[in-house]
Amino acid sequence: ADREYLLKLAQHGRSELNPDELHLAELLRKHRITKPLVMVNSSTSGIVAGAMLTWEAIEQYTADRAIDIDLAETGSIGLSSEDPVVSIQLPGRTRIFFSRITAEKVPSLLDDLFHQVVPDQHVIGQLRREGQEPWKGVPSLNEIPYFALQKRIVMESCGIIDPFSLEEYIAEGGYAAFLKTIRSYTFSEVCDLVIESGLRGRSGGGFPTGEKWKAAFQTPSDQKFLVCNAEESDPGAFMDRTLMEGNPFQLLEGIAIAAYAIGSNRAYIYIRSEYRDAIRRIYSAIRKLRELGLLGDNILDSGYNLQISLRKGPGAFVCGEETALIASLEGRRGMPSSKPPYPSTSGYLGRPTVVNNVETLANLPRIISHGPDWFKEIGTADCPGTKIFSISGRLPLAGLVEVPMGTSFDTIVNKIMGGVGKGRELKALHVGGPSGCMLPLEMLDLPVTYESLKEKGLIMGSGGVLVIDDRTCVVNMVRYFMEYMHKQSCGKCIPCREGTRRMAEILGSITRKPADEEGHTTLERFKGVMQLETLAEVMKDTSLCGLGQNAPNPVVSTLKHFRNEYEEHIFDRRCPSNSCTELRSWFIEVDMCTGCSICAKRCPAEA
C-alpha cells in the first residue's frame, strides 16, 4: 500500500474505496489472505515462555519443507499463563489460537493444520469473521468464559494485529479519530467531548480526564506538554506494557488527540527502561508515523504540529507519582513535590503539563470515533467505560481482564479466571499493588468503581489483583509489602521514610521467633501492633505524596479484616498457613533417633 492509499483509507475509511482498493484493505486487515499466516506472541510474557524458540522452530519447519507462509509477530491476547500463544490462519479459514506451543510442539501442530486437522490439545479457540469458513468442533473465542464475560475496547486488537504494521492498524480504522479531531474540532471542543464522556484516569485516583485537560488548556503559556506515564511501577501490574507491546499505534493516536486538546505540540512517553520490547515497538511506530506524515510539522496540511519523544526512566516506584515523574523527566532525582501548584498549571519546565497513563490515553480513539454517549453506555453512570485488571496469584490462569466498570471481583476471579485450584479455598484478594488493600471474601460481590471502593476504605490503584488462597500467610505478605515500600521510598519526608521502616520491623518481629524468647516479649509484640495503627494514621495525614499516604493500606486493611491471623502470630507463635518458616519449632523424636547426625547435615532449614 502506498502513502496516498493509506492516507485516503485513514481519512475516509472503506466507504469511498473502489473494488480493487477494498480488496487491498481486506488483505491489509488479514480478513483475506493468499498464503498461510502464522503469528507468534512475541511480547514479554511470550518471550519469557520461549516464544523466540518457537519462532525459530517455525522458520526451520517451513524452510525444510519449502512452505511459503507469512510469519509475523503479535502481542498478548491477555492469557499470560498460556504463552507461548500461536495463532494460525489458512486461506479462506478462520484463525485458530493455540496455547503453550513450545519449540518441540511446532512440527506436529503444523503437520496437522496444513492437513486440515485441528489437534485435540492446546486449542484456545477460533476468531470468527464474516466470509471465513469456521473450523468444526472448535469453540469461538467469544464462547469461552475468559473472553465471553469481558468487554474489550482498549484490548480489542491486542494479540490479533501485527504491532509493527501501520498499514494493518489504518485498515482496521486507525487514525480516523485523530484526523477527525484536528479537522472537525477546536481544542476546547475536544476537552468538552472527553468531559461529557466521563472518562476518568485509569492510574488509581480516577480524576476526570477532561477536567485536567481543561485546566491545562486554560492556563496561558507559550508552551504546553503532554506526558504519557508508562512507568507502571506496581509489581504484578502489566496492563500498560501489554497495550504498548500489542498495539503501540493506538497509544500514539491517543497521545496525539490528548496533545491537540490541550494545545500542545510536544509529547513525551516516560517509560521504564526495563520495558525493552515495548520501547522497540514504540520507536518503530513513531518512525513509521513520521514517514507517513501523521507526526511532525503541519500534519496533512492541517496546520497542527506534533513531536512525540521517548524518555526512559530508572524503574523507581516513586516515579509513578506525577510530580516525581516530571522531576525525573527534567533530569533531576525522582522525588515528589508538594501540590499545589498542580502539573496542569506548572509542570514540566514550569509549563502547563498533563500527565495521563497508557490505559487512559488508549481509550481516546474510540471515544472520538463513536462519541461520548456510546462510551457512557458502558460501565456505570459515575464510572463509564472499562477497566483492565492484571490477575495473578493462586490461580490456574493468569493474565489481563478488561471488564465494564461496576463488574464484581467475584465475576473477575471466579467466573472469568476460573477461581483457585482444586482442593484449595479462596482466602482474600489484594487489590492495588504494594500500597493496595486486602479484601475479605464477603467483599467479593462489591461492584468495582472508584466510589464503591472508596466507601469501604479501599483503592483500585492501577488495577493489579493478587489472588490469595489458604496456603498464603496474610501477615507475611504484608511484611513483604512494607519492606518493598521502605526500599522504594525516596526518603524526602520523614513519615514515609521512617514509618515504612518501623512498620517492616514490627511485622518482621511478628513473623519470626527470636533465639531467646522471654515471657514479656508477647506484650512487646502486641504493643508493636498497636503502634502500627498509630503509625498508619500519622503517615496518611503527613506524608508528602501518595506513596507514603497509601503505604499503610495493606496493614490497615488486614488488621481490620484478618486480625485473628495477627493474634495467632503474636500469642500462639503459630502461622495458620505454616508459611512463616521462622516460627516453626524443630525437635528430635527420641524414640526414632539413632544418633547418626545425618539429619543435621542435610537439613535444608539448618535446624
Side-chain angles (χ1 to χ4, degrees):
D2 59 22
R3 182 176 183 273
E4 289 186 8
Y5 173 80
L6 289 176
L7 292 177
K8 179 180 179 181
L9 192 57
Q11 293 176 69
H12 305 293
R14 294 186 294 274
S15 59
E16 297 187 11
L17 301 182
N18 61 44
D20 289 339
E21 292 173 332
L22 279 172
H23 178 74
L24 177 56
E26 292 299 295
L27 291 175
L28 293 177
R29 297 172 70 200
K30 298 184 174 65
H31 286 212
R32 185 178 300 173
I33 59 175
T34 57
K35 55 186 175 181
L37 170 67
V38 180
M39 303 192 79
V40 180
N41 170 23
S42 62
S43 66
T44 300
S45 61
I47 291 172
V48 170
M52 292 299 96
L53 295 176
T54 301
W55 178 284
E56 292 171 3
I58 294 171
E59 286 184 321
Q60 187 65 47
Y61 176 94
T62 53
D64 292 344
R65 294 161 178 78
I67 300 175
D68 186 19
I69 69 167
D70 276 331
L71 181 59
E73 296 183 54
T74 188
S76 172
I77 60 172
L79 279 170
S80 304
S81 57
E82 302 304 299
D83 281 325
V85 171
V86 174
S87 61
I88 302 175
Q89 182 178 347
L90 301 182
R93 307 298 297 268
T94 56
R95 191 187 306 183
I96 307 183
F97 290 77
F98 298 92
S99 67
R100 304 188 183 188
I101 304 301
T102 50
E104 63 272 12
K105 298 173 184 175
V106 166
S108 61
L109 173 66
L110 295 183
D111 280 343
D112 288 342
L113 257 293
F114 289 158
H115 288 88
Q116 303 290 319
V117 176
V118 179
D120 296 331
Q121 297 179 330
H122 309 297
V123 176
I124 298 176
Q126 62 180 323
L127 178 64
R128 287 179 178 264
R129 284 169 168 167
E130 187 178 351
Q132 296 177 351
E133 182 184 353
W135 296 86
K136 293 182 179 179
V138 177
S140 296
L141 290 180
N142 57 14
E143 295 172 352
I144 302 167
Y146 172 77
F147 291 100
L149 297 174
Q150 294 189 53
K151 176 70 175 178
R152 293 207 164 190
I153 296 175
V154 180
M155 288 187 63
E156 183 180 21
S157 297
C158 287
I160 296 174
I161 69 169
D162 181 350
F164 293 97
S165 175
L166 176 57
E167 293 87 350
E168 184 176 0
Y169 181 71
I170 289 177
E172 291 287 358
Y175 268 85
F178 172 62
L179 296 181
K180 178 182 178 182
T181 299
I182 62 177
R183 290 180 169 174
S184 303
Y185 299 115
T186 63
F187 303 145
S188 182
E189 286 173 342
V190 180
C191 293
D192 292 336
L193 275 175
V194 175
I195 291 173
E196 186 182 349
S197 73
L199 176 66
R200 300 172 66 169
R202 297 300 196 245
S203 58
F207 190 82
T209 302
E211 291 182 14
K212 183 187 287 189
W213 290 5
K214 201 81 168 181
F217 171 69
Q218 293 176 345
T219 302
S221 178
D222 60 341
Q223 179 66 63
K224 299 175 183 179
F225 297 99
L226 188 285
V227 178
C228 170
N229 182 356
E231 170 64 21
E232 196 168 39
S233 50
D234 280 359
F238 46 94
M239 299 82 69
D240 292 351
R241 187 196 74 205
T242 302
L243 290 175
M244 289 186 287
E245 292 175 344
N247 197 351
F249 294 107
Q250 178 179 250
L251 170 63
L252 293 170
E253 185 176 8
I255 290 173
I257 293 169
Y260 177 83
I262 66 172
S264 169
N265 59 12
R266 287 292 298 168
Y268 293 96
I269 301 173
Y270 183 87
I271 186 171
R272 60 191 312 162
S273 56
E274 295 96 329
Y275 282 0
R276 292 187 295 271
D277 289 287
I279 291 170
R280 176 171 64 100
R281 297 176 191 211
I282 290 174
Y283 270 135
S284 172
I286 290 175
R287 177 178 55 81
K288 291 179 179 179
L289 288 170
R290 284 174 177 162
E291 291 173 355
L292 195 61
L294 292 173
L295 268 183
D297 296 332
N298 193 22
I299 298 173
L300 301 187
D301 299 323
S302 65
Y304 178 60
N305 310 322
L306 178 63
Q307 298 293 340
I308 300 177
S309 304
L310 211 60
R311 292 291 184 270
K312 300 177 187 177
F317 183 84
V318 72
C319 288
E321 197 275 336
E322 59 182 4
T323 59
L325 182 153
I326 290 172
S328 178
L329 194 63
E330 292 174 341
R332 298 182 286 117
R333 182 180 174 189
M335 298 178 73
S337 56
S338 57
K339 294 182 284 190
Y342 293 95
S344 56
T345 56
S346 178
Y348 181 61
L349 303 179
R351 310 296 176 82
T353 304
V354 168
V355 181
N356 290 137
N357 81 324
V358 172
E359 185 180 348
T360 307
L361 294 167
N363 273 286
L364 296 174
R366 287 299 189 87
I367 293 175
I368 299 297
S369 294
H370 299 289
D373 292 335
W374 168 84
F375 190 74
K376 287 191 291 186
E377 291 176 357
I378 305 166
T380 64
D382 55 357
C383 285
T386 61
K387 179 72 185 80
I388 304 176
F389 293 92
S390 63
I391 315 296
S392 57
R394 304 289 194 174
L395 287 167
L397 296 177
L400 299 181
V401 171
E402 184 179 356
V403 293
M405 284 286 196
T407 304
S408 69
F409 284 114
D410 179 62
T411 298
I412 295 171
V413 174
N414 290 321
K415 295 179 181 178
I416 297 178
M417 302 304 289
V420 296
K422 292 182 179 179
R424 294 295 174 183
E425 293 182 4
L426 181 63
K427 186 176 188 177
L429 300 179
H430 185 82
V431 181
S435 58
C437 300
M438 199 83 72
L439 272 70
L441 295 181
E442 53 266 27
M443 289 190 180
L444 284 183
D445 290 331
L446 190 69
V448 183
T449 65
Y450 295 105
E451 279 70 26
S452 64
L453 293 179
K454 189 176 181 179
E455 288 174 4
K456 299 292 183 180
L458 309 172
I459 64 170
M460 188 183 299
S462 58
V465 177
L466 184 63
V467 179
I468 300 168
D469 69 3
D470 52 2
R471 291 172 287 179
T472 306
C473 173
V474 167
V475 180
N476 194 41
M477 178 170 285
V478 173
R479 176 194 61 77
Y480 166 77
F481 286 142
M482 292 316 304
E483 289 179 350
Y484 177 85
M485 296 300 289
H486 173 59
K487 292 175 182 176
Q488 294 296 327
S489 172
C490 73
K492 185 175 183 178
C493 67
I494 294 174
C496 176
R497 183 184 70 228
E498 299 301 321
T500 52
R501 180 186 62 82
R502 181 60 185 143
M503 280 187 166
E505 289 175 352
I506 293 171
L507 291 165
S509 70
I510 295 173
T511 56
R512 64 174 176 265
K513 185 182 293 185
D516 52 345
E517 189 166 31
E518 300 176 359
H520 65 276
T521 54
T522 297
L523 292 177
E524 290 179 354
R525 288 190 298 272
F526 184 74
K527 181 182 177 182
V529 172
M530 300 304 293
Q531 287 180 349
L532 286 175
E533 296 178 318
T534 306
L535 271 172
E537 293 178 5
V538 173
M539 290 174 65
K540 281 182 175 291
D541 291 340
T542 59
S543 291
L544 183 62
C545 77
L547 187 149
Q549 293 164 8
N550 291 314
N553 286 339
V555 176
V556 174
S557 61
T558 51
L559 281 173
K560 181 179 180 180
H561 301 295
F562 299 93
R563 202 176 191 90
N564 61 313
E565 287 208 21
Y566 283 88
E567 292 173 352
E568 288 190 64
H569 281 75
I570 293 169
F571 298 113
D572 300 338
R573 305 305 283 145
R574 185 181 73 86
C575 176
S577 60
N578 200 30
S579 56
C580 294
T581 56
E582 294 183 72
L583 282 181
R584 294 173 181 169
S585 296
W586 307 96
F587 58 91
I588 298 203
E589 285 282 1
V590 180
D591 294 338
M592 299 176 65
C593 180
T594 63
C596 68
S597 76
I598 293 177
C599 63
K601 297 176 181 177
R602 296 183 178 178
C603 181
E606 298 181 353

